[in-house]
């Protein structure tokens, strides 16, 4: 039996950072995001060899273990091991499984598109399909969050797991006691098409670890530092504004609000922007972009810009002076999916 799954990556459009603890518990968070046709993939092949083989094809990493109920979390393919360990523990699977797992992702790790969390969702979805686990969408997203943030101790927010699981355009609200409400947005097709044709997704060429940035945000919130906390409040308020503008199809105003989001985001932590990011942003605005921001925690990865579609090629050519690349994409409606292949046929 072969099991496959794929989960979509997401663009963080508004509210990023308000989904990070302890801000979301203290003040409540709200984010606007959308999934795109770039994915994390997982394949599990059931075997009878008494071994577990884990491989990340895009990272050129491969590990082999004797089948055991717990695998060592030691800095090597910990996302894969974390999902396996939690599934074995939570669902009380007493007999160690024997399988080969292969994973890959369409974009580099640390790109700001939620790669790590999306990979956890894809792996968990594959196990759910294989073992027929009783997990709905909310259960899957919540468990993926717990595996990454609690079991593995990796810093980050809550939005990525829910975006990858549910898919599409969502306005997600975060409250105390880990209460999360996913509001799927019914956006007219012409609005999605207009946003898509107006948007440029630019990879800066630098992947980064979000851990340092997230920890600084958390520290600023805990210490009640006025400027970062007020900036985060502004980002949350702006997310509601941007949701309404998007629903009404006011793309130019939405785009300008995107730039406002970025100005506030830079005040949340000192390492969110860099000199290179600032140069790229200034060049994009000079080439006619209405606004833009870094997708994800900041520090590198992908940047989003919006522009009049007739000026899009000029913006793309302007960005060509930097050491990066424009990535074509389309918005994706579907969340994480899984299926089985019967190898006996």
């Amino acid at each position: 039996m072969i099991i496959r799954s794929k989960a979509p990556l997401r663009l963080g459009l508004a509210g990023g950072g308000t989904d990070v603890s302890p801000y979301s518990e203290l003040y409540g968070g709200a984010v606007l995001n959308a999934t795109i046709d770039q994915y994390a993939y997982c394949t599990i092949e059931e075997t009878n060899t008494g071994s577990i083989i884990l491989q990340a094809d895009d990272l050129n990493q491969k590990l082999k273990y004797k089948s055991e109920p717990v695998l060592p979390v030691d800095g090597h393919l910990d996302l894969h091991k974390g999902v396996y360990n939690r599934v074995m523990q939570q669902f009380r699977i007493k007999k160690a499984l024997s399988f080969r797992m292969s994973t890959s992702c369409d974009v580099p790790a640390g790109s700001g598109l939620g790669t790590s969390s999306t990979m956890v969702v894809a792996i968990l979805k594959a196990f759910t399909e294989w073992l027929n686990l009783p997990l709905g969408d909310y259960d899957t997203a919540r468990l993926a969050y717990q595996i990454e943030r609690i079991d593995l101790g990796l810093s980050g927010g809550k939005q990525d797991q829910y975006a990858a699981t549910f898919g599409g355009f969502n306005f997600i609200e975060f409250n105390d006691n880990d209460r999360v409400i996913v509001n799927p947005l019914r956006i007219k097709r012409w609005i999605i098409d207009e946003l898509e044709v107006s948007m440029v997704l630019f990879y800066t060429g630098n992947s980064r670890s979000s851990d340092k940035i997230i920890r600084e945000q958390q520290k600023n919130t805990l210490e009640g530092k006025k400027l970062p906390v007020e900036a985060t409040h502004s980002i949350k308020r702006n997310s509601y504004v941007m949701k309404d503008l998007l629903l009404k199809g006011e793309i130019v105003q939405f785009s300008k609000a995107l730039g406002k989001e970025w100005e506030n985001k830079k005040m949340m932590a000192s390492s969110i922007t860099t000199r290179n990011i600032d140069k790229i942003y200034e060049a994009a605005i000079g080439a006619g972009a209405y606004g833009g921001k870094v997708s994800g925690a900041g520090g590198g990865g992908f940047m989003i810009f919006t522009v009049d579609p007739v000026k899009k090629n000029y913006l793309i050519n302007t960005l060509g002076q930097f050491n990066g690349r424009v990535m074509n994409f389309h918005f994706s409606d579907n969340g994480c999916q899984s299926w089985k292949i019967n190898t006996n046929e």
Side-chain angles (χ1 to χ4, degrees):
M1 181 71 71
I2 293 177
I3 299 90
R4 300 196 202 280
S5 66
K6 70 174 186 176
L9 302 174
R10 62 97 187 102
L11 297 182
L13 299 175
T18 69
D19 60 315
V20 176
S21 297
Y23 183 90
S24 57
E25 284 81 11
L26 292 173
Y27 306 105
V31 303
L32 172 66
N33 58 36
T35 50
I36 60 174
D37 59 349
Q38 302 291 309
Y39 299 91
Y41 305 90
C42 178
T43 295
I44 294 178
E45 182 180 359
E46 188 176 11
T47 64
N48 57 5
T49 60
S51 65
I52 295 173
I53 297 175
L54 307 175
Q55 58 188 74
D57 298 329
D58 52 335
L59 302 177
N60 197 28
Q61 293 186 43
K62 183 176 179 179
L63 302 171
K64 184 175 181 179
Y65 299 93
K66 179 183 176 182
S67 290
E68 299 284 354
V70 178
L71 297 179
V73 175
D74 54 10
H76 302 286
L77 300 185
D78 283 349
L79 297 180
H80 303 58
K81 298 172 187 174
V83 177
Y84 172 78
N85 290 347
R86 184 60 176 264
V87 166
M88 295 295 287
Q89 172 197 354
Q90 180 155 329
F91 297 98
R92 299 179 181 178
I93 301 172
K94 299 199 182 226
K95 182 180 178 183
L97 304 176
S98 178
F99 61 93
R100 176 193 297 270
M101 178 194 297
S102 302
T103 62
S104 64
C105 191
D106 284 333
V107 303
S111 63
L113 302 184
T115 51
S116 296
S117 301
T118 304
M119 181 59 73
V120 171
V121 169
I123 295 171
L124 181 57
K125 189 71 171 180
F127 274 111
T128 300
E129 181 78 26
W130 180 23
L131 304 173
N132 196 28
L133 303 178
L135 295 174
D137 287 346
Y138 273 100
D139 302 317
T140 298
R142 187 179 299 109
L143 185 55
Y145 169 80
Q146 292 173 351
I147 290 168
E148 191 175 6
R149 304 289 177 240
I150 299 173
D151 297 357
L152 298 176
L154 301 174
S155 299
K158 300 182 179 76
Q159 67 164 309
D160 298 347
Q161 296 86 355
Y162 288 87
T165 302
F166 284 83
F169 282 81
N170 290 296
F171 189 75
I172 311 176
E173 297 172 287
F174 305 91
N175 300 292
D176 57 359
N177 298 321
D178 282 333
R179 290 185 300 119
V180 180
I181 301 171
V182 178
N183 304 284
L185 300 182
R186 296 181 62 183
I187 303 174
K188 293 180 179 178
R189 187 67 240 182
W190 75 264
I191 297 175
I192 295 175
D193 290 341
E194 180 67 12
L195 181 62
E196 193 174 279
V197 77
S198 302
M199 193 166 279
V200 173
L201 186 57
F202 181 72
Y203 182 56
T204 63
N206 299 314
S207 59
R208 83 291 177 268
S209 171
S210 61
D211 187 76
K212 178 183 176 183
I213 299 170
I214 296 294
R215 288 187 185 279
E216 185 180 350
Q217 289 179 27
Q218 292 172 320
K219 182 172 180 287
N220 289 339
T221 300
L222 284 170
E223 295 177 356
K225 291 189 176 179
K226 185 173 181 180
L227 187 62
V229 172
E230 285 298 325
T232 313
H233 290 339
S234 295
I235 284 174
K236 183 173 70 173
R237 288 193 295 268
N238 196 49
S239 68
Y240 286 89
V241 172
M242 290 182 67
K243 176 197 68 171
D244 292 344
L245 291 171
L246 184 62
L247 287 169
K248 291 185 287 187
E250 297 180 8
I251 301 301
V252 174
Q253 292 304 315
F254 174 89
S255 303
K256 291 178 179 178
L258 192 71
K260 182 180 178 182
E261 171 100 356
W262 175 237
E263 292 305 314
N264 280 307
K265 188 173 181 65
K266 288 188 291 184
M267 292 187 279
M268 291 169 62
S270 60
S271 51
I272 282 176
T273 191
T274 65
R275 188 173 180 182
N276 185 53
I277 288 174
D278 289 340
K279 285 183 178 179
I280 294 170
Y281 190 88
E282 289 168 7
I285 297 299
Y290 296 126
K293 65 185 288 289
V294 170
S295 181
F302 280 93
M303 299 183 73
I304 309 164
F305 297 104
T306 47
V307 66
D308 184 330
V310 300
K311 298 180 180 179
K312 189 171 182 176
N313 283 334
Y314 180 65
L315 172 57
I316 290 172
N317 290 335
T318 299
L319 293 173
Q321 67 183 287
F322 298 99
N323 183 28
R325 62 183 173 88
V326 171
M327 187 179 80
N328 293 323
F329 75 95
H330 299 283
F331 290 112
S332 168
D333 293 331
N334 295 321
C336 188
Q337 301 171 70
S338 60
W339 60 97
K340 288 179 179 148
I341 301 171
N342 191 342
T343 55
N344 294 325
E345 293 181 356

